[in-house]
Amino acid sequence: MLGHQRCRLRMKQFRMGRSLLLATLLLTLMNLPAYGQESEPLSENSALHVFLDCQGGAWHCDFDHVRREIKWVNWVRDRKDAQVHLLVTAQGTGGGGNSYTLDFIGLDELDAETDSISFVSDPDDTHDEVREKLTQTFAVGLVRYVASTPLAQQLQVSYEESPGQAVQADLEEDPWKLWVFRVSASGSFNDESLQRGNWYSGSVSANRTSDRLKFNWSASTWSSRDEFEIDGEVLESSSKSSSSSLLSVWSLSDHWSVGMIAGGNNSSFSNIDLALIGGPVVEYSVFPYDESTRKTLTFQYSVEAVDNTYEAITVAGETEETLGRHRLVAALDIQQPWGGMFGQVAATQYLHDPSVHRVDTFLGANVRVFRGLDFNVSGSFSRIKDQFFLPAEGLTSEEILLRRGQRETDFRYRVSMGFSYRFGSKLANVVNPRMNRGFRSFY
């Protein structure tokens, strides 16, 4: 009798399990989109609203790709409509890659929920590989916020371990000892009936970056030549320049660093046949260096010796001279959810004559004024009192028109500004790449 009851119980459990399995399969099939049809969009109330904001050097952000891959959130066009502000900033590494910082900033009911994730891309990564790493990190960081929405039950977490990619106890020996080298070259040639020209450029660099020491060396050259035939007469114009720089920096603390700079250059534009520069430099960072992806405020002071040899005799009657100078540079860079600010003030003064100096300033900002309206402004101003290197004989009319030489001036400034305004649908989930590359001008 007891065995018969157990058998009936097992049959009942089997029927219940079979019914549950059939019901699950039926619900799954009902939720699958028909062939050739698009799936129903996520409900505005059920999906998390996210605003993607890529700033600084985060140029690998591909909004279209992100929307295609992460379909379980609503991507909005304005921060005012978002529950999470995803702020992405980046800065270059010594090895040639980029260090990305992703700040997940909760808004409104999620304002207490903030998170930050960082990763470093390999210098050999392709654009697609960096894009995939960014997208994957976006998804990982958004999971905690989606967990509080009705869509949480539709997410699945999986882990795939690739062969040979398990975590190692010891770091692999680096045969290059953190050294990175680069070589580049380019050129252009053009020819018409009455004019022709060419230019070429090349550069080489070597750098090594560690937590305690940074070493950068680079050299480059540039040259151009143009010929113009006017009324049977051929006019020729040429310009060339080359430079080399060396920087060594030692880390002292989270706020202080010291270094040594050296360099050399020549420039037909500035009447410099050869200039050699070198001296010590010290830098103080108001904020810790590890916060540099979001905000930096640094003060840098250097004392330099300059040895100049000129192509032509200068307005001061010199063909060569050795001078001392000191320089103070203040630099600001802020990347925040409301926008960003960046600026620099550099003051240089020569020790032999305090009246010989130069002050260069630059300031820019991009600000979200209110919903949909962004304002951008930048400007620079230079007070120039150090043009002792100008040639005494002046410039010809052709050199002035072709900008082949520097002219005397007391100042130089530039201002630019603009704004953009967005209105319409606040959602940005749909991707349609058709004819993205069309309608180009033929003239």
Side-chain angles (χ1 to χ4, degrees), residues 10-11 13 21 54 124 141 144 152 156 158 183 196 200 202 298 309 323 353 373 378 419:
R10 288 174 181 173
M11 289 295 295
Q13 290 176 341
L21 178 61
C54 297
D124 296 326
R144 61 172 294 187
Q156 294 182 350
S158 62
V183 178
R196 62 196 58 85
Y200 69 87
T298 59
T309 302
L323 305 171
D353 185 354
L373 180 63
S378 65
F419 70 90

Side-chain angles (χ1 to χ4, degrees), residues 139-422:
V140 171
L142 289 171
V143 166
R144 61 172 294 187
Y145 298 95
V146 177
S148 61
T149 70
L151 294 180
Q153 58 186 350
Q154 297 179 240
L155 291 181
Q156 294 182 350
V157 178
S158 62
Y159 169 74
E160 180 180 354
E161 181 177 341
S162 301
Q165 291 188 352
V167 177
Q168 301 295 323
D170 298 319
L171 293 176
E172 183 181 358
E173 183 72 15
D174 180 9
W176 293 97
K177 305 298 183 182
L178 298 180
W179 282 98
V180 178
F181 304 90
R182 296 183 181 88
V183 178
S184 66
S186 60
S188 174
F189 306 89
N190 62 84
D191 196 357
E192 298 182 18
S193 297
L194 299 177
Q195 65 186 52
R196 62 196 58 85
N198 61 77
W199 69 267
Y200 69 87
S201 65
S203 65
V204 60
S205 66
N207 68 77
R208 184 183 189 276
T209 302
S210 66
D211 291 336
R212 305 300 302 173
L213 174 64
K214 179 169 71 174
F215 178 91
N216 290 341
W217 172 80
S218 64
S220 63
T221 183
W222 178 86
S223 176
S224 70
R225 182 175 179 272
D226 295 291
E227 291 183 1
F228 305 89
E229 185 176 338
I230 304 175
D231 298 330
E233 181 182 0
V234 177
L235 301 179
E236 180 181 323
S237 176
S238 62
S239 180
K240 63 178 180 179
S241 67
S242 60
S243 64
S244 178
S245 63
L246 175 66
L247 170 67
S248 297
V249 181
W250 291 267
S251 304
L252 300 181
S253 69
D254 290 341
H255 297 272
W256 287 97
S257 58
V258 297
M260 182 68 66
I261 56 176
N265 72 282
N266 66 67
S267 171
S268 58
F269 182 81
S270 300
N271 191 35
I272 301 295
D273 185 54
L274 179 63
L276 300 176
I277 305 170
V281 59
V282 60
E283 182 181 81
Y284 174 74
S285 176
V286 175
F287 305 108
Y289 284 111
D290 57 9
E291 298 180 9
S292 58
T293 57
R294 291 290 297 272
K295 56 184 178 181
T296 61
L297 176 58
T298 59
F299 295 91
Q300 187 182 101
Y301 178 74
S302 62
V303 180
E304 304 162 358
V306 183
D307 184 75
N308 290 335
T309 302
Y310 305 107
E311 290 186 347
I313 189 170
T314 67
V315 291
E318 301 289 344
T319 57
E320 60 180 39
E321 56 186 334
T322 300
L323 305 171
R325 69 183 186 188
H326 60 158
R327 184 196 307 263
L328 178 64
V329 180
L332 170 71
D333 191 349
I334 297 176
Q335 303 293 337
Q336 296 295 326
W338 50 262
M341 289 184 61
F342 41 92
Q344 178 175 293
V345 179
T348 305
Q349 183 184 54
Y350 284 82
L351 303 179
H352 73 286
D353 185 354
S355 64
V356 180
H357 64 276
R358 181 188 185 102
V359 180
D360 297 298
T361 61
F362 176 80
L363 181 64
N366 55 285
V367 182
R368 294 188 181 91
V369 182
F370 55 80
R371 180 189 295 272
L373 180 63
D374 293 341
F375 180 69
N376 304 282
V377 60
S378 65
S380 63
F381 178 83
S382 297
R383 175 182 170 87
I384 303 171
K385 298 292 183 180
D386 65 345
Q387 291 184 301
F388 53 83
F389 51 81
L390 295 180
E393 62 184 15
L395 302 175
T396 65
S397 299
E398 290 82 1
E399 289 173 329
I400 294 175
L401 293 174
L402 296 173
R403 296 181 179 272
R404 296 306 189 189
Q406 189 172 150
R407 304 182 70 186
E408 183 178 1
T409 182
D410 292 328
F411 67 91
R412 183 182 299 120
Y413 74 89
R414 179 187 61 83
V415 177
S416 65
M417 63 183 66
F419 70 90
S420 62
Y421 181 63
R422 301 182 305 276

Side-chain angles (χ1 to χ4, degrees), residues 74-121:
N74 267 328
W75 298 100
V76 297
R77 297 187 182 277
D78 196 288
R79 185 175 185 269
K80 299 292 185 181
D81 300 315
Q83 297 169 285
V84 176
H85 182 167
L86 175 48
L87 177 62
V88 185
T89 55
Q91 60 181 351
T93 65
N98 284 288
S99 175
Y100 291 90
T101 300
L102 284 61
D103 290 305
F104 298 81
I105 306 169
L107 304 173
D108 296 333
E109 70 276 10
L110 299 177
D111 59 354
E113 301 290 333
T114 60
D115 199 1
S116 182
I117 303 177
S118 300
F119 77 90
V120 178
S121 66

